[in-house]
Amino acid sequence: MLQRTEGIVLRTNPYGEADLIVTYLTKDYGIVKTFAKSPRKIKSRFGSSLEPLTYSKISFWGKEDSALPRLTQADIIYPFHVLRSSLKSFLKVSEMIEITLSFVPERDPSPKAYSLLINMLRAFEEDSSDRMLVIYYKLKLLDVTGFLPKITGCGRCGNAGHDFYLSHGTVLCEKCSKGFETSFRISAGLVNFYKNLLEWNISHIKRIKPSDALVLELSMLIDEHIRYVTEKSLKTRAFRV
Ligand SMILES: [Zn+2]
């Protein structure tokens, strides 16, 4: 069956002498890994369309549940080449790509994650020096994929609480947290900032100038949470094998 959609190249891996496995975040199917025949040959019809971050219209062919359908067409909509040309911006984008690969499921439509990534790449292309963009992306991606840490009140009973527990992905109140080890305390300032960030859009994010302390506190929370969740899922996957 031929499937058509649009997508952004997240990663490519060489396969054999001349072939490539191209991993996309697609508009209609979430993450899709495709097999591209001979794109590394000079006269390949794929041209530069398989470069990381390239946004294209694509077609791929295979059974509906095929793990590795064959990429038959990739027509560039927008190359995002500016993001690849500077090492500094590419490193930041690579961090965004890594967590996208960790949190967005394969073959499960995730249109919110898809539009989030496109909007973020556009914003990033305009100004890659804004330190809030990557943090905002991580936060929103956790939100749309269902992994957002809860910091407004106890995640079990809803009562007030200020201590975050990585093991639970939430703040817990004194009563519900008996016997667990606190990960860190959440400041009142962070709770407000966090609520606002989830409401604001990217153009608003580009106008704000939060304090260093707040940005640091938020980054630590988000990064520790991401590390905890990905390590846990890696262990689960290893266990299943
Ligand atoms: Zn509680």
Side-chain angles (χ1 to χ4, degrees):
M1 189 169 95
L2 185 70
Q3 287 166 301
R4 288 193 181 88
T5 183
E6 49 182 67
I8 295 163
V9 177
L10 297 184
R11 175 186 280 171
T12 58
N13 297 93
Y15 189 86
E17 294 258 307
D19 305 331
L20 212 55
I21 293 179
V22 188
T23 306
Y24 283 98
L25 175 59
T26 66
K27 187 178 180 183
D28 302 297
Y29 308 100
I31 302 266
V32 176
K33 287 193 175 114
T34 62
F35 171 76
K37 186 78 185 155
S38 310
R40 290 146 78 196
K41 285 188 181 158
I42 292 166
K43 282 190 176 169
S44 162
R45 64 197 155 126
F46 290 115
S48 62
S49 65
L50 307 184
E51 292 286 332
L53 305 180
T54 306
Y55 170 31
S56 301
K57 274 190 178 159
I58 59 169
S59 310
F60 50 92
W61 176 266
K63 285 183 187 158
E64 206 165 332
D65 56 351
S66 164
L68 204 59
R70 183 164 169 166
L71 187 68
T72 54
Q73 205 172 356
D75 297 320
I76 298 175
I77 298 172
Y78 192 75
F80 284 116
H81 59 280
V82 174
L83 295 177
R84 286 194 303 273
S85 60
S86 136
L87 181 63
K88 210 172 163 193
S89 68
F90 191 68
L91 286 177
K92 285 189 192 167
V93 173
S94 301
E95 201 185 341
M96 287 159 47
I97 298 297
E98 276 308 310
I99 68 154
T100 308
L101 286 163
S102 302
F103 286 90
V104 178
E106 260 185 64
R107 294 299 188 117
D108 192 1
S110 195
K112 284 183 180 166
Y114 181 71
S115 48
L116 175 67
L117 181 63
I118 291 190
N119 291 337
M120 192 54 75
L121 292 177
R122 284 193 180 124
F124 219 72
E125 200 174 50
E126 279 170 24
D127 179 11
S128 64
S129 66
D130 189 333
R131 63 179 177 172
M132 275 311 295
L133 286 179
V134 177
I135 302 173
Y136 176 74
Y137 180 74
K138 291 177 183 174
L139 189 70
K140 292 295 276 188
L141 188 75
L142 291 173
D143 190 19
V144 301
T145 53
F147 288 95
L148 187 71
K150 179 171 164 46
I151 66 167
T152 51
C154 175
R156 279 192 169 173
C157 72
N159 282 342
H162 308 286
D163 292 324
F164 186 80
Y165 293 78
L166 275 176
S167 53
H168 292 68
T170 179
V171 158
L172 292 174
C173 71
E174 230 172 280
K175 209 172 122 200
C176 296
S177 62
K178 279 212 171 74
F180 302 121
E181 203 178 315
T182 315
S183 301
F184 26 77
R185 177 147 284 216
I186 304 286
S187 73
L190 183 61
V191 173
N192 277 332
F193 186 45
Y194 195 84
K195 277 189 205 159
N196 288 333
L197 281 178
L198 290 167
E199 298 288 320
W200 289 337
N201 58 25
I202 295 179
S203 54
H204 195 130
I205 298 298
K206 290 170 91 169
R207 294 199 301 271
I208 58 169
K209 296 275 174 271
S211 72
D212 290 349
L214 209 49
V215 173
L216 192 68
E217 191 185 359
L218 178 63
S219 309
M220 194 182 76
L221 168 73
I222 297 293
D223 288 342
E224 286 292 302
H225 175 73
I226 287 175
R227 190 181 54 77
Y228 188 88
V229 174
T230 44
E231 276 177 10
K232 206 168 91 181
S233 77
L234 281 179
K235 275 182 205 151
T236 320
R237 269 181 238 163
F239 183 71
R240 278 194 202 133
V241 167

